[in-house]
Amino acid sequence: MNDVTCQQCGTCSRICPIEEIEPDRVLSDLFFEKEINPWLCCSCHLCTDNCPEALSPRDKMFAIRRLKIANGFKGGERLLKYIRLLKERGFLFPVDDDTNQERNALGLPELDLKKISCGMSSFFENIRTYRT
Amino acid sequence: MTLAIFPGCLVTYRYPEYEKSAYVILEKLGLKGMFIPEFTCCGSQVLESVDEKALTALSARNLAIAQSHGVNTLVALCGSCTFELLRAKKEMEEGERLSEINEVLGKEGLEYKPDENFNVMHIVEFLTQKGLFEKIGELKRDDIDVRVAIQEPCNASRPLSLHPGMDCDSFNRKLRGLIDITGASICDFAYERRCCGGTMLAFDEEVGRRLVALRYAALKESGADFIINACPNCQVVYYLYPFVVDKKYRKKESRLPSALFFTQLVGLCLGAGLSELGLERHRDRGIIKEMLENRGGH
């Protein structure tokens, strides 16, 4: 990734909603291999849309997250719990028969939970085999 | 036009009333939304933090499912879903990963076919299209003259590179335009366009808690009776979190304005009842009823 175009103008820091509670953080440090907490990003894309160099600090944050996870980052348990639910049920939350009952009560049609769950098993298995 | 709503996981799990009130509006407009029973989550932020390729493939899969039902207009309710679906669509259309991902999807008998007549958009974009926006004004039955603050959903309109022809104010104008139709007056709210901070509650709750506390203070200052959301992540911030987690907001003196989906407000102005808009299951249903009954000249 070509990060050298960052002029450290500070626009991303100023516009980031997290700046208000983390005023000392310099967001552009991301582009200069300085340590920055990649989990402090609410993914609002304000930095991406306002960077005069058309860089995306937001996307860079997510790239650093992936690198950390790939290197066995401890502390991602909550994240991995969400991923497990996604793989098993197709949603980040424990959608089940109660969900369909609530839908019924509102007059909404039911989800095909079985098809969703089988589809997700196939999908993640197909991705895994494609890679290997 | 063959239209389907993409609800996403948070609406499916927590806020089916957003989906229901969206269908109610479509029906009032004489449109039929096809129901697709096998859509999944878009993977937003969570899967992106772990595996970017799987993320694109997951959204491409949902797009391919829509196409397999003959859908050509896919309307998302959540900002994050809008972003993920549009990003995957762009990536697939630019061609680089089209064959690779279609090879994976092909094993399930699915294929995403790039098609200039296949559109994905957030429901605010959909309802403010030429013709529909005017029709909502014509069908209006009732002025809902309450005071509201608005929370703009970041991911529904950003990054702008996914929204050709839009400027950074387009989405806000459209959302405000819909609220104006309802007769509600819009109060100044310092964070209207500054992100609800909601996803931080999932990734770093302490930081998330500090972010949302700033928003709650500004919201109380705004003088609004309602906070209007157009994304389930924002609804978590203003409806769920202050009541279920941070219980101090349950006290009468620190109570926040009631959180509504914009589709519920628009539904009310089109003459839909509280129950069909899912408002009977709202925690503040008593307050809402009272407010609607007591508003000026009604």
Side-chain angles (χ1 to χ4, degrees), chain B residues 88-106:
Chain B
K89 183 172 180 282
K90 188 166 185 242
E91 214 173 311
M92 297 291 276
E93 277 160 11
E94 283 169 357
E96 218 170 279
R97 305 199 44 223
L98 182 65
S99 60
E100 181 193 334
I101 287 178
N102 270 338
E103 199 179 320
V104 172
L105 300 183

Side-chain angles (χ1 to χ4, degrees), chain A residues 13-115:
Chain A
S13 274
R14 278 194 300 277
I15 208 160
C16 176
I18 305 225
E19 155 90 0
E20 213 173 338
I21 54 169
E22 294 282 327
D24 297 332
R25 184 183 66 166
V26 178
L27 200 46
S28 60
D29 280 353
L30 273 172
F31 298 114
F32 298 93
E33 290 174 10
K34 290 185 194 158
E35 191 61 32
I36 195 163
N37 180 350
W39 304 100
L40 297 192
C41 169
C42 46
S43 185
C44 67
H45 307 274
L46 280 168
C47 56
T48 310
D49 276 358
N50 287 280
C51 174
E53 296 294 330
L55 294 168
S56 174
R58 183 255 177 221
D59 288 356
K60 182 83 178 170
M61 286 286 223
F62 277 81
I64 296 173
R65 289 181 188 187
R66 290 193 291 276
L67 210 61
K68 280 201 184 276
I69 295 275
N71 292 327
F73 167 73
K74 300 277 176 283
E77 293 81 10
R78 194 169 180 181
L79 193 67
L80 296 173
K81 193 191 93 190
Y82 283 130
I83 299 277
R84 205 162 46 243
L85 276 166
L86 174 64
K87 288 184 175 177
E88 285 168 8
R89 307 200 194 191
F91 297 96
L92 298 179
F93 303 99
V95 165
D96 58 16
D97 290 336
D98 290 348
T99 312
N100 271 335
Q101 273 183 24
E102 276 199 60
R103 295 180 66 83
N104 278 328
L106 274 171
L108 286 167
E110 289 189 8
L111 309 170
D112 192 336
L113 297 176
K114 199 161 172 225
K115 195 167 179 183

